[in-house]
Amino acid sequence: QRHSNNDARRPPKTFMPTNGASRTSRKELLDLIGNNPGGHLDESSRFKFETKLRAYANTPNVDPSDVLFAIGSSVYGTNISFPVQEQTNGSKPSDEEEKETNIIIDFDYMKAFMKDVFLSYGVKPVHAETCSEVLIEADRRGIDSHGFGRLKPIYCDRMDQGILWPDKPIDVIKQTDTTALVDGNLGLGLYIGPHCMQMAIDKAKKHGVGFVVVQNSTHYGIAGYYATMATDAGCIGLSGTNARPSIAPTFGVEPMFGE
């Protein structure tokens, strides 16, 4: 979109209600916030804010995108619902129009896409199937942070950078009847993790307990996938991993805990 030089020099627009009642209500809300910064922690202040916010929402021509409604929702716990906005011709969007804006992609399609991506990087077919299954299981469970969205930034980008590799062997350094130390050789943790959990399950089935530790395994997806492997086999499963410091301890400011 092109803008003239005059447009570029114009200051950004500031929201200001044109209705007198709206302006008064909005000013009262801003004063309430400004004069009592910790008001969201006080029950009476929260009630007062909610009452004023709902009154403001009911004034004519109020803008639903006003930041005060976002503050009410995220800070004061007051959610305001607005009716569906009518189109310029006075009609509401049809069901078909709403369906067109809400595109749903099937899990199987997403999994097949991820498998094809792994195959294109040289991951063995059996491992590509496992990797895509671990990732899509996160999406099935609603854990969006560790599913399809991780494909590029965590796995593809790191393979591109040589941080991890698409096809590395899994070496058992040493083991006993109930334990094992495994080296993943910086392969994809998404196929190393299932392999090692299966080792632990097999040992537990035979000897009552199985404990497998892996080094150089790289990112392995959601830990819950591996615990579920154990429960599906009739065992009690525990799974955990180290991670870079990304969470500050309580009352701290420096990240020290992994997530």
Side-chain angles (χ1 to χ4, degrees):
Q1 184 178 0
R2 298 179 64 185
H3 299 275
S4 68
N5 291 334
N6 289 336
D7 289 336
R9 290 194 295 267
R10 289 174 184 167
K13 292 183 179 179
T14 302
F15 174 77
M16 180 59 67
T18 57
N19 179 273
S22 295
R23 288 198 300 271
T24 300
S25 296
R26 193 171 193 273
K27 184 179 185 306
E28 290 176 352
L29 285 164
L30 291 172
D31 289 341
L32 185 61
I33 296 171
N35 295 332
N36 189 12
H40 62 289
L41 302 175
D42 178 68
E43 184 176 353
S44 62
S45 296
R46 289 199 303 270
F47 177 78
K48 187 174 182 181
F49 182 91
E50 178 180 356
T51 302
K52 290 184 177 295
L53 188 65
R54 294 193 183 281
Y56 175 48
N58 290 326
T59 56
N61 301 320
V62 68
D63 185 356
S65 66
D66 190 342
V67 69
L68 283 172
F69 296 115
I71 294 174
S73 175
S74 62
V75 179
Y76 287 83
T78 300
N79 295 306
I80 305 294
S81 298
F82 291 92
V84 177
Q85 294 292 316
E86 294 186 350
Q87 297 177 335
T88 54
N89 61 4
S91 63
K92 293 182 179 180
S94 66
D95 292 340
E96 289 300 322
E97 289 172 330
E98 288 188 352
K99 288 180 181 178
E100 289 179 2
T101 60
N102 297 318
I103 301 174
I104 298 177
I105 301 177
D106 187 83
F107 286 134
D108 291 339
Y109 183 91
M110 294 168 63
K111 178 184 174 182
F113 175 83
M114 290 191 286
K115 181 177 179 179
D116 286 343
V117 171
F118 285 125
L119 289 172
S120 72
Y121 273 88
V123 180
K124 292 179 180 178
V126 63
H127 289 163
E129 171 67 22
T130 301
C131 291
S132 57
E133 175 61 25
V134 175
L135 286 181
I136 201 62
E137 181 60 21
D139 290 304
R140 292 191 191 111
R141 299 187 188 192
I143 310 174
D144 298 335
S145 62
H146 282 62
F148 187 89
R150 288 264 171 142
L151 177 64
K152 180 186 182 299
I154 297 297
Y155 304 104
C156 295
D157 287 357
R158 291 182 181 182
M159 284 188 284
D160 290 338
Q161 296 165 10
I163 298 174
L164 57 85
W165 303 90
D167 184 23
K168 287 289 186 176
I170 302 173
D171 297 326
V172 178
I173 298 175
K174 58 182 177 180
Q175 66 175 321
T176 67
D177 289 343
T178 57
T179 64
L181 173 60
V182 175
D183 193 331
N185 293 298
L186 298 179
L188 281 165
L190 295 172
Y191 69 75
I192 298 170
H195 177 91
C196 293
M197 176 52 81
Q198 189 58 54
M199 286 182 62
I201 291 170
D202 293 342
K203 290 178 180 294
K205 287 288 188 179
K206 187 174 182 179
H207 302 287
V209 64
F211 194 96
V212 178
V213 178
V214 192
Q215 64 186 27
N216 300 318
S217 67
T218 73
H219 198 282
Y220 80 154
I222 56 171
Y225 182 89
Y226 308 101
T228 302
M229 282 182 63
T231 57
D232 287 346
C235 301
I236 297 173
L238 300 174
S239 178
T241 182
N242 65 316
R244 68 181 184 277
S246 55
I247 301 175
T250 304
F251 304 122
V253 293
E254 181 182 352
M256 299 181 72
F257 298 144
E259 67 169 334

